Amino acid sequence: LLWAPVSTLVETTPYTPDVAFYATPSIVSKAVLAPGLFCMLLPQDAHAPSLAYQEPCAVRKVVVKVRVRTLAS
């Protein structure tokens, strides 16, 4: 998974409901998720999903949307 703050990116395809595309920045954070781990992303987090580390494998993806104000309570 590649991650970068949205505020640092250049948009290449305008935002439509639930998706926007950005140019790949020169500096990104990389996360390798092993079995049993998960990643939580917030609205200000851009990410590049569907990347394989070493070799492709089966992955379960779950998307849960929570209002940001709920997280702040």
Side-chain angles (χ1 to χ4, degrees):
L1 174 98
L2 299 180
W3 171 90
V6 169
S7 61
T8 66
L9 302 177
V10 176
E11 191 174 77
T12 59
T13 303
Y15 178 83
T16 59
D18 293 330
V19 67
F21 294 95
Y22 301 91
T24 302
S26 56
I27 299 174
V28 295
S29 294
K30 297 177 184 178
V32 177
L33 301 177
L37 296 179
F38 71 95
C39 181
M40 180 176 155
L41 300 167
L42 299 174
Q44 65 269 21
D45 299 330
H47 66 287
S50 303
L51 303 175
Y53 177 73
Q54 295 179 334
E55 64 183 53
C57 64
V59 175
R60 283 189 192 161
K61 178 179 178 179
V62 176
V63 176
V64 177
K65 295 188 177 191
V66 179
R67 290 184 188 268
V68 173
R69 68 174 173 237
T70 302
L71 294 174
S73 320

mmCIF file of all heavy atoms in Angstrom, residues 3-40:
data_model
loop_
_atom_site.group_PDB
_atom_site.id
_atom_site.type_symbol
_atom_site.label_atom_id
_atom_site.label_comp_id
_atom_site.label_asym_id
_atom_site.label_seq_id
_atom_site.Cartn_x
_atom_site.Cartn_y
_atom_site.Cartn_z
ATOM 1 N N TRP A 3 0.933 5.372 0.497
ATOM 2 C CA TRP A 3 0.123 6.377 1.168
ATOM 3 C C TRP A 3 0.781 7.741 1.051
ATOM 4 O O TRP A 3 2.014 7.855 1.103
ATOM 5 C CB TRP A 3 -0.042 6.019 2.638
ATOM 6 C CG TRP A 3 -0.693 7.117 3.436
ATOM 7 C CD1 TRP A 3 -2.031 7.271 3.641
ATOM 8 C CD2 TRP A 3 -0.058 8.213 4.091
ATOM 9 N NE1 TRP A 3 -2.275 8.402 4.384
ATOM 10 C CE2 TRP A 3 -1.056 8.998 4.673
ATOM 11 C CE3 TRP A 3 1.254 8.619 4.225
ATOM 12 C CZ2 TRP A 3 -0.798 10.148 5.385
ATOM 13 C CZ3 TRP A 3 1.525 9.778 4.938
ATOM 14 C CH2 TRP A 3 0.504 10.520 5.516
ATOM 15 N N ALA A 4 -0.035 8.783 0.912
ATOM 16 C CA ALA A 4 0.441 10.166 0.932
ATOM 17 C C ALA A 4 -0.728 11.068 1.319
ATOM 18 O O ALA A 4 -1.889 10.736 1.037
ATOM 19 C CB ALA A 4 0.988 10.581 -0.433
ATOM 20 N N PRO A 5 -0.449 12.197 1.955
ATOM 21 C CA PRO A 5 -1.532 13.141 2.263
ATOM 22 C C PRO A 5 -2.098 13.734 0.971
ATOM 23 O O PRO A 5 -1.338 14.127 0.083
ATOM 24 C CB PRO A 5 -0.845 14.234 3.086
ATOM 25 C CG PRO A 5 0.493 13.693 3.472
ATOM 26 C CD PRO A 5 0.837 12.631 2.488
ATOM 27 N N VAL A 6 -3.396 13.783 0.851
ATOM 28 C CA VAL A 6 -4.049 14.323 -0.343
ATOM 29 C C VAL A 6 -3.560 15.741 -0.626
ATOM 30 O O VAL A 6 -3.367 16.130 -1.778
ATOM 31 C CB VAL A 6 -5.591 14.296 -0.186
ATOM 32 C CG1 VAL A 6 -6.274 15.081 -1.286
ATOM 33 C CG2 VAL A 6 -6.091 12.864 -0.171
ATOM 34 N N SER A 7 -3.315 16.511 0.422
ATOM 35 C CA SER A 7 -2.911 17.912 0.257
ATOM 36 C C SER A 7 -1.572 18.076 -0.461
ATOM 37 O O SER A 7 -1.255 19.159 -0.938
ATOM 38 C CB SER A 7 -2.842 18.602 1.621
ATOM 39 O OG SER A 7 -1.866 17.958 2.440
ATOM 40 N N THR A 8 -0.785 17.005 -0.583
ATOM 41 C CA THR A 8 0.526 17.085 -1.238
ATOM 42 C C THR A 8 0.493 16.592 -2.677
ATOM 43 O O THR A 8 1.521 16.586 -3.348
ATOM 44 C CB THR A 8 1.574 16.260 -0.470
ATOM 45 O OG1 THR A 8 1.225 14.868 -0.550
ATOM 46 C CG2 THR A 8 1.657 16.687 0.985
ATOM 47 N N LEU A 9 -0.675 16.183 -3.173
ATOM 48 C CA LEU A 9 -0.766 15.529 -4.478
ATOM 49 C C LEU A 9 -1.334 16.424 -5.567
ATOM 50 O O LEU A 9 -2.057 17.372 -5.295
ATOM 51 C CB LEU A 9 -1.627 14.271 -4.353
ATOM 52 C CG LEU A 9 -1.139 13.247 -3.329
ATOM 53 C CD1 LEU A 9 -2.121 12.088 -3.255
ATOM 54 C CD2 LEU A 9 0.254 12.763 -3.656
ATOM 55 N N VAL A 10 -1.028 16.061 -6.801
ATOM 56 C CA VAL A 10 -1.571 16.746 -7.978
ATOM 57 C C VAL A 10 -2.652 15.852 -8.577
ATOM 58 O O VAL A 10 -2.380 14.713 -8.976
ATOM 59 C CB VAL A 10 -0.460 17.016 -9.024
ATOM 60 C CG1 VAL A 10 -1.058 17.630 -10.282
ATOM 61 C CG2 VAL A 10 0.620 17.897 -8.430
ATOM 62 N N GLU A 11 -3.872 16.349 -8.620
ATOM 63 C CA GLU A 11 -5.002 15.563 -9.131
ATOM 64 C C GLU A 11 -4.909 15.430 -10.649
ATOM 65 O O GLU A 11 -4.687 16.399 -11.355
ATOM 66 C CB GLU A 11 -6.296 16.252 -8.738
ATOM 67 C CG GLU A 11 -7.531 15.416 -8.963
ATOM 68 C CD GLU A 11 -8.767 16.102 -8.420
ATOM 69 O OE1 GLU A 11 -9.249 17.040 -9.092
ATOM 70 O OE2 GLU A 11 -9.226 15.715 -7.340
ATOM 71 N N THR A 12 -5.074 14.191 -11.156
ATOM 72 C CA THR A 12 -5.038 13.956 -12.606
ATOM 73 C C THR A 12 -6.424 13.681 -13.171
ATOM 74 O O THR A 12 -6.673 13.892 -14.341
ATOM 75 C CB THR A 12 -4.114 12.769 -12.955
ATOM 76 O OG1 THR A 12 -4.587 11.598 -12.290
ATOM 77 C CG2 THR A 12 -2.679 13.061 -12.560
ATOM 78 N N THR A 13 -7.331 13.180 -12.338
ATOM 79 C CA THR A 13 -8.715 12.936 -12.738
ATOM 80 C C THR A 13 -9.603 13.527 -11.652
ATOM 81 O O THR A 13 -9.423 13.199 -10.481
ATOM 82 C CB THR A 13 -9.002 11.419 -12.867
ATOM 83 O OG1 THR A 13 -8.083 10.855 -13.795
ATOM 84 C CG2 THR A 13 -10.417 11.167 -13.341
ATOM 85 N N PRO A 14 -10.533 14.390 -12.002
ATOM 86 C CA PRO A 14 -11.369 15.040 -10.993
ATOM 87 C C PRO A 14 -12.108 14.039 -10.103
ATOM 88 O O PRO A 14 -12.441 12.942 -10.523
ATOM 89 C CB PRO A 14 -12.359 15.856 -11.829
ATOM 90 C CG PRO A 14 -11.678 16.065 -13.137
ATOM 91 C CD PRO A 14 -10.847 14.825 -13.356
ATOM 92 N N TYR A 15 -12.349 14.471 -8.882
ATOM 93 C CA TYR A 15 -13.057 13.653 -7.895
ATOM 94 C C TYR A 15 -14.479 13.390 -8.356
ATOM 95 O O TYR A 15 -15.191 14.277 -8.809
ATOM 96 C CB TYR A 15 -13.083 14.369 -6.545
ATOM 97 C CG TYR A 15 -13.828 13.616 -5.479
ATOM 98 C CD1 TYR A 15 -13.204 12.609 -4.765
ATOM 99 C CD2 TYR A 15 -15.159 13.893 -5.198
ATOM 100 C CE1 TYR A 15 -13.878 11.910 -3.782
ATOM 101 C CE2 TYR A 15 -15.842 13.197 -4.219
ATOM 102 C CZ TYR A 15 -15.194 12.201 -3.514
ATOM 103 O OH TYR A 15 -15.870 11.509 -2.552
ATOM 104 N N THR A 16 -14.870 12.134 -8.258
ATOM 105 C CA THR A 16 -16.259 11.726 -8.444
ATOM 106 C C THR A 16 -16.612 10.970 -7.176
ATOM 107 O O THR A 16 -15.722 10.656 -6.392
ATOM 108 C CB THR A 16 -16.427 10.808 -9.684
ATOM 109 O OG1 THR A 16 -15.601 9.659 -9.513
ATOM 110 C CG2 THR A 16 -16.053 11.542 -10.957
ATOM 111 N N PRO A 17 -17.849 10.672 -6.935
ATOM 112 C CA PRO A 17 -18.178 10.000 -5.671
ATOM 113 C C PRO A 17 -17.265 8.804 -5.380
ATOM 114 O O PRO A 17 -17.170 7.875 -6.166
ATOM 115 C CB PRO A 17 -19.624 9.566 -5.865
ATOM 116 C CG PRO A 17 -20.169 10.585 -6.807
ATOM 117 C CD PRO A 17 -19.028 10.903 -7.756
ATOM 118 N N ASP A 18 -16.546 8.922 -4.299
ATOM 119 C CA ASP A 18 -15.689 7.860 -3.751
ATOM 120 C C ASP A 18 -14.359 7.620 -4.448
ATOM 121 O O ASP A 18 -13.652 6.696 -4.077
ATOM 122 C CB ASP A 18 -16.441 6.530 -3.653
ATOM 123 C CG ASP A 18 -17.548 6.593 -2.616
ATOM 124 O OD1 ASP A 18 -17.407 7.348 -1.644
ATOM 125 O OD2 ASP A 18 -18.546 5.894 -2.789
ATOM 126 N N VAL A 19 -13.995 8.400 -5.460
ATOM 127 C CA VAL A 19 -12.691 8.136 -6.090
ATOM 128 C C VAL A 19 -12.124 9.393 -6.754
ATOM 129 O O VAL A 19 -12.863 10.204 -7.303
ATOM 130 C CB VAL A 19 -12.778 6.987 -7.121
ATOM 131 C CG1 VAL A 19 -13.620 7.378 -8.299
ATOM 132 C CG2 VAL A 19 -11.404 6.527 -7.550
ATOM 133 N N ALA A 20 -10.816 9.531 -6.651
ATOM 134 C CA ALA A 20 -10.065 10.572 -7.358
ATOM 135 C C ALA A 20 -8.722 9.952 -7.710
ATOM 136 O O ALA A 20 -8.259 9.027 -7.036
ATOM 137 C CB ALA A 20 -9.877 11.810 -6.502
ATOM 138 N N PHE A 21 -8.099 10.440 -8.760
ATOM 139 C CA PHE A 21 -6.800 9.912 -9.161
ATOM 140 C C PHE A 21 -5.770 11.027 -9.141
ATOM 141 O O PHE A 21 -6.060 12.161 -9.520
ATOM 142 C CB PHE A 21 -6.894 9.271 -10.549
ATOM 143 C CG PHE A 21 -7.761 8.041 -10.547
ATOM 144 C CD1 PHE A 21 -9.092 8.123 -10.883
ATOM 145 C CD2 PHE A 21 -7.231 6.811 -10.184
ATOM 146 C CE1 PHE A 21 -9.903 6.993 -10.868
ATOM 147 C CE2 PHE A 21 -8.032 5.684 -10.161
ATOM 148 C CZ PHE A 21 -9.367 5.773 -10.503
ATOM 149 N N TYR A 22 -4.563 10.673 -8.708
ATOM 150 C CA TYR A 22 -3.486 11.636 -8.548
ATOM 151 C C TYR A 22 -2.218 11.124 -9.220
ATOM 152 O O TYR A 22 -2.021 9.913 -9.358
ATOM 153 C CB TYR A 22 -3.183 11.854 -7.057
ATOM 154 C CG TYR A 22 -4.367 12.342 -6.275
ATOM 155 C CD1 TYR A 22 -5.239 11.461 -5.661
ATOM 156 C CD2 TYR A 22 -4.623 13.706 -6.156
ATOM 157 C CE1 TYR A 22 -6.341 11.900 -4.947
ATOM 158 C CE2 TYR A 22 -5.723 14.164 -5.449
ATOM 159 C CZ TYR A 22 -6.573 13.257 -4.845
ATOM 160 O OH TYR A 22 -7.660 13.705 -4.142
ATOM 161 N N ALA A 23 -1.345 12.049 -9.589
ATOM 162 C CA ALA A 23 -0.028 11.666 -10.090
ATOM 163 C C ALA A 23 0.740 11.026 -8.938
ATOM 164 O O ALA A 23 0.605 11.446 -7.783
ATOM 165 C CB ALA A 23 0.705 12.897 -10.604
ATOM 166 N N THR A 24 1.522 9.999 -9.234
ATOM 167 C CA THR A 24 2.305 9.345 -8.181
ATOM 168 C C THR A 24 3.406 10.304 -7.721
ATOM 169 O O THR A 24 4.215 10.752 -8.524
ATOM 170 C CB THR A 24 2.940 8.040 -8.697
ATOM 171 O OG1 THR A 24 1.893 7.185 -9.164
ATOM 172 C CG2 THR A 24 3.705 7.337 -7.600
ATOM 173 N N PRO A 25 3.401 10.635 -6.436
ATOM 174 C CA PRO A 25 4.401 11.576 -5.946
ATOM 175 C C PRO A 25 5.776 10.926 -5.834
ATOM 176 O O PRO A 25 5.897 9.700 -5.816
ATOM 177 C CB PRO A 25 3.872 11.959 -4.566
ATOM 178 C CG PRO A 25 3.069 10.786 -4.141
ATOM 179 C CD PRO A 25 2.488 10.195 -5.398
ATOM 180 N N SER A 26 6.810 11.738 -5.746
ATOM 181 C CA SER A 26 8.157 11.201 -5.622
ATOM 182 C C SER A 26 8.417 10.663 -4.216
ATOM 183 O O SER A 26 9.256 9.794 -4.020
ATOM 184 C CB SER A 26 9.196 12.268 -5.976
ATOM 185 O OG SER A 26 9.010 13.407 -5.161
ATOM 186 N N ILE A 27 7.679 11.165 -3.227
ATOM 187 C CA ILE A 27 7.838 10.680 -1.854
ATOM 188 C C ILE A 27 6.496 10.133 -1.374
ATOM 189 O O ILE A 27 5.494 10.845 -1.378
ATOM 190 C CB ILE A 27 8.301 11.807 -0.916
ATOM 191 C CG1 ILE A 27 9.662 12.346 -1.363
ATOM 192 C CG2 ILE A 27 8.356 11.327 0.526
ATOM 193 C CD1 ILE A 27 10.143 13.543 -0.593
ATOM 194 N N VAL A 28 6.490 8.866 -0.999
ATOM 195 C CA VAL A 28 5.295 8.223 -0.449
ATOM 196 C C VAL A 28 5.717 7.364 0.734
ATOM 197 O O VAL A 28 6.878 7.015 0.876
ATOM 198 C CB VAL A 28 4.568 7.325 -1.481
ATOM 199 C CG1 VAL A 28 4.016 8.125 -2.618
ATOM 200 C CG2 VAL A 28 5.468 6.219 -1.968
ATOM 201 N N SER A 29 4.778 7.021 1.570
ATOM 202 C CA SER A 29 5.021 6.057 2.637
ATOM 203 C C SER A 29 4.535 4.710 2.135
ATOM 204 O O SER A 29 3.509 4.620 1.454
ATOM 205 C CB SER A 29 4.264 6.439 3.901
ATOM 206 O OG SER A 29 4.780 7.641 4.423
ATOM 207 N N LYS A 30 5.271 3.670 2.461
ATOM 208 C CA LYS A 30 4.901 2.318 2.034
ATOM 209 C C LYS A 30 4.541 1.483 3.258
ATOM 210 O O LYS A 30 5.209 1.565 4.285
ATOM 211 C CB LYS A 30 6.055 1.654 1.296
ATOM 212 C CG LYS A 30 6.442 2.368 0.026
ATOM 213 C CD LYS A 30 7.637 1.715 -0.626
ATOM 214 C CE LYS A 30 8.052 2.539 -1.853
ATOM 215 N NZ LYS A 30 9.228 1.981 -2.500
ATOM 216 N N ALA A 31 3.494 0.695 3.132
ATOM 217 C CA ALA A 31 3.089 -0.210 4.200
ATOM 218 C C ALA A 31 2.897 -1.596 3.601
ATOM 219 O O ALA A 31 2.233 -1.751 2.578
ATOM 220 C CB ALA A 31 1.795 0.261 4.846
ATOM 221 N N VAL A 32 3.505 -2.583 4.225
ATOM 222 C CA VAL A 32 3.318 -3.976 3.817
ATOM 223 C C VAL A 32 2.456 -4.615 4.895
ATOM 224 O O VAL A 32 2.845 -4.670 6.061
ATOM 225 C CB VAL A 32 4.666 -4.716 3.693
ATOM 226 C CG1 VAL A 32 4.434 -6.177 3.350
ATOM 227 C CG2 VAL A 32 5.542 -4.038 2.651
ATOM 228 N N LEU A 33 1.271 -5.056 4.510
ATOM 229 C CA LEU A 33 0.346 -5.656 5.466
ATOM 230 C C LEU A 33 0.460 -7.171 5.412
ATOM 231 O O LEU A 33 0.281 -7.770 4.364
ATOM 232 C CB LEU A 33 -1.087 -5.218 5.165
ATOM 233 C CG LEU A 33 -1.324 -3.700 5.201
ATOM 234 C CD1 LEU A 33 -2.753 -3.385 4.819
ATOM 235 C CD2 LEU A 33 -0.996 -3.149 6.569
ATOM 236 N N ALA A 34 0.745 -7.765 6.537
ATOM 237 C CA ALA A 34 0.852 -9.215 6.659
ATOM 238 C C ALA A 34 -0.489 -9.760 7.154
ATOM 239 O O ALA A 34 -1.344 -8.995 7.622
ATOM 240 C CB ALA A 34 1.964 -9.570 7.641
ATOM 241 N N PRO A 35 -0.697 -11.075 7.065
ATOM 242 C CA PRO A 35 -1.953 -11.651 7.564
ATOM 243 C C PRO A 35 -2.231 -11.217 9.002
ATOM 244 O O PRO A 35 -1.330 -11.183 9.840
ATOM 245 C CB PRO A 35 -1.707 -13.166 7.484
ATOM 246 C CG PRO A 35 -0.728 -13.302 6.354
ATOM 247 C CD PRO A 35 0.178 -12.102 6.483
ATOM 248 N N GLY A 36 -3.474 -10.818 9.251
ATOM 249 C CA GLY A 36 -3.878 -10.391 10.581
ATOM 250 C C GLY A 36 -3.744 -8.892 10.812
ATOM 251 O O GLY A 36 -4.180 -8.385 11.836
ATOM 252 N N LEU A 37 -3.151 -8.161 9.886
ATOM 253 C CA LEU A 37 -3.002 -6.718 10.020
ATOM 254 C C LEU A 37 -4.047 -5.998 9.183
ATOM 255 O O LEU A 37 -4.595 -6.563 8.248
ATOM 256 C CB LEU A 37 -1.608 -6.282 9.562
ATOM 257 C CG LEU A 37 -0.439 -6.807 10.366
ATOM 258 C CD1 LEU A 37 0.878 -6.318 9.771
ATOM 259 C CD2 LEU A 37 -0.538 -6.382 11.819
ATOM 260 N N PHE A 38 -4.312 -4.747 9.528
ATOM 261 C CA PHE A 38 -5.228 -3.942 8.732
ATOM 262 C C PHE A 38 -4.707 -2.517 8.680
ATOM 263 O O PHE A 38 -3.813 -2.127 9.420
ATOM 264 C CB PHE A 38 -6.650 -3.976 9.301
ATOM 265 C CG PHE A 38 -6.808 -3.221 10.590
ATOM 266 C CD1 PHE A 38 -7.258 -1.901 10.574
ATOM 267 C CD2 PHE A 38 -6.520 -3.816 11.805
ATOM 268 C CE1 PHE A 38 -7.404 -1.205 11.759
ATOM 269 C CE2 PHE A 38 -6.666 -3.127 12.993
ATOM 270 C CZ PHE A 38 -7.106 -1.819 12.975
ATOM 271 N N CYS A 39 -5.295 -1.729 7.816
ATOM 272 C CA CYS A 39 -4.912 -0.337 7.653
ATOM 273 C C CYS A 39 -6.171 0.507 7.700
ATOM 274 O O CYS A 39 -7.158 0.185 7.048
ATOM 275 C CB CYS A 39 -4.194 -0.165 6.311
ATOM 276 S SG CYS A 39 -3.658 1.512 6.005
ATOM 277 N N MET A 40 -6.138 1.583 8.483
ATOM 278 C CA MET A 40 -7.270 2.501 8.558
ATOM 279 C C MET A 40 -6.871 3.798 7.861
ATOM 280 O O MET A 40 -5.845 4.391 8.189
ATOM 281 C CB MET A 40 -7.621 2.792 10.017
ATOM 282 C CG MET A 40 -8.770 3.732 10.179
ATOM 283 S SD MET A 40 -9.165 3.889 11.924
ATOM 284 C CE MET A 40 -9.922 5.486 11.939
#
